Structure formats: structure tokens, C-alpha cells
């Protein structure tokens, strides 16, 4: 599945953290990977939507990159609802990758943190992928 037959992923991430590198960058850089990836980080999106309207920017990105899948990696970025609407207009599958251990968050932070990460996700019929990691 090399070359033109590779599926394209548009990855939207808060930052270039260990989660990004271990979960996406290194695996997708493998010559045997069936995927290619275009990544936009939070600061890139903030900067570029200052130059043009968010609506035009995201429409242009989707038309230029032509992804098969859009992954939101720890995505708490501005314009999230707009991006989801654009994905739906383009009939794109979306995946939410949340690697926080939501079951181990202290009670005094649990509701606020859980709400911050999941309230918007629960309101959509898109595919929601939550990986709950065990603390070691």
C-alpha cells in the first residue's frame, strides 16, 4: 500500500507531545505504514486563522489535503465545532483520541476535567475513540 494507494490522515493536535510522537508520528513515518499524515497543531491553527477566516482556512485545508480520516488528538482547540461541521460536509470520518486516564482523576477535578474533554464529543454522532491508560 505504498505511494498513491496510501490513505491520508489529517491530524489535529494540541501540541507535539509524547502522545503525538509515540501514538502517531513514529508509527506513521514507517515506510510500511498504509497511511500518510498531515498534522496541524494548535498554534499553527491559531496563527493561520488570524490571516484568513476560519471557515475559508478549513475548507481550503480539506480541499488541498483531501484526507480520508480526520483525527483529533487531545484536541481542545478553537474552531472545533466548525471543523466538525466541515468534516461532516465532506463526509469525512472523525476519530477523537483522548489518552487521559479519566477514571483516575481526583474527585475534586473529575467533573470539570471530564466535562472539558468530553462534553462536546458526547453531543456528536461521530466515532469517539477513548483510550484509557492504566497508571503504572
Amino acid at each position: 500500500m505504498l505511494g498513491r494507494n496510501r490513505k491520508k490522515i489529517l491530524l489535529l493536535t494540541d501540541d507535539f507531545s509524547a502522545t503525538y510522537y509515540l501514538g502517531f508520528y513514529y508509527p506513521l513515518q514507517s515506510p510500511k505504514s498504509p497511511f500518510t499524515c498531515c498534522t496541524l497543531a494548535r498554534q499553527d491553527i491559531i496563527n493561520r486563522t488570524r490571516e484568513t477566516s476560519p471557515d475559508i482556512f478549513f475548507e481550503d485545508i480539506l480541499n488541498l489535503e483531501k484526507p480520508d480520516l480526520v483525527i483529533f488528538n487531545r484536541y481542545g482547540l478553537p474552531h472545533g465545532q466548525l471543523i466538525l461541521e466541515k468534516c461532516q460536509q465532506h463526509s469525512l470520518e472523525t476519530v477523537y483520541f483522548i489518552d487521559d486516564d479519566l477514571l483516575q482523576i481526583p474527585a475534586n477535578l473529575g467533573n470539570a476535567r471530564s466535562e472539558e474533554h468530553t462534553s462536546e464529543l458526547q453531543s456528536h454522532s461521530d466515532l469517539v475513540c477513548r483510550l484509557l491508560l492504566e497508571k503504572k
Side-chain angles (χ1 to χ4, degrees), residues 39-119:
T39 302
L40 289 174
R42 174 186 196 84
Q43 197 58 51
D44 296 328
I45 292 169
I46 291 170
N47 292 343
R48 293 176 79 180
T49 55
R50 285 182 187 144
E51 300 166 7
T52 187
S53 81
D55 188 63
I56 292 171
F57 171 71
F58 290 114
E59 188 67 34
D60 288 350
I61 287 292
L62 294 177
N63 287 327
L64 176 69
E65 295 298 331
K66 298 186 183 338
D68 298 294
L69 174 69
V70 178
I71 297 176
F72 295 82
N73 174 41
R74 294 180 146 208
Y75 192 79
L77 302 174
H79 315 299
Q81 184 64 38
L82 174 64
I83 297 168
L84 286 171
E85 290 169 3
K86 291 290 181 189
C87 290
Q88 290 168 346
Q89 290 170 2
H90 286 258
S91 300
L92 292 171
E93 296 292 331
T94 56
V95 173
Y96 300 88
F97 182 85
I98 304 169
D99 69 342
D100 291 332
D101 185 357
L102 297 176
L103 298 177
Q104 298 299 322
I105 294 174
N108 64 334
L109 297 177
N111 290 337
R113 180 121 172 129
S114 178
E115 188 67 25
E116 171 190 336
H117 281 81
T118 62
S119 63

Side-chain angles (χ1 to χ4, degrees), residues 113-130:
R113 180 121 172 129
S114 178
E115 188 67 25
E116 171 190 336
H117 281 81
T118 62
S119 63
E120 186 175 348
L121 302 181
Q122 292 172 351
S123 66
H124 299 286
S125 60
D126 303 293
L127 174 63
V128 176
C129 178
R130 291 186 197 152

Side-chain angles (χ1 to χ4, degrees), residues 20 23 35 101:
Y20 166 76
F35 305 102
D101 185 357

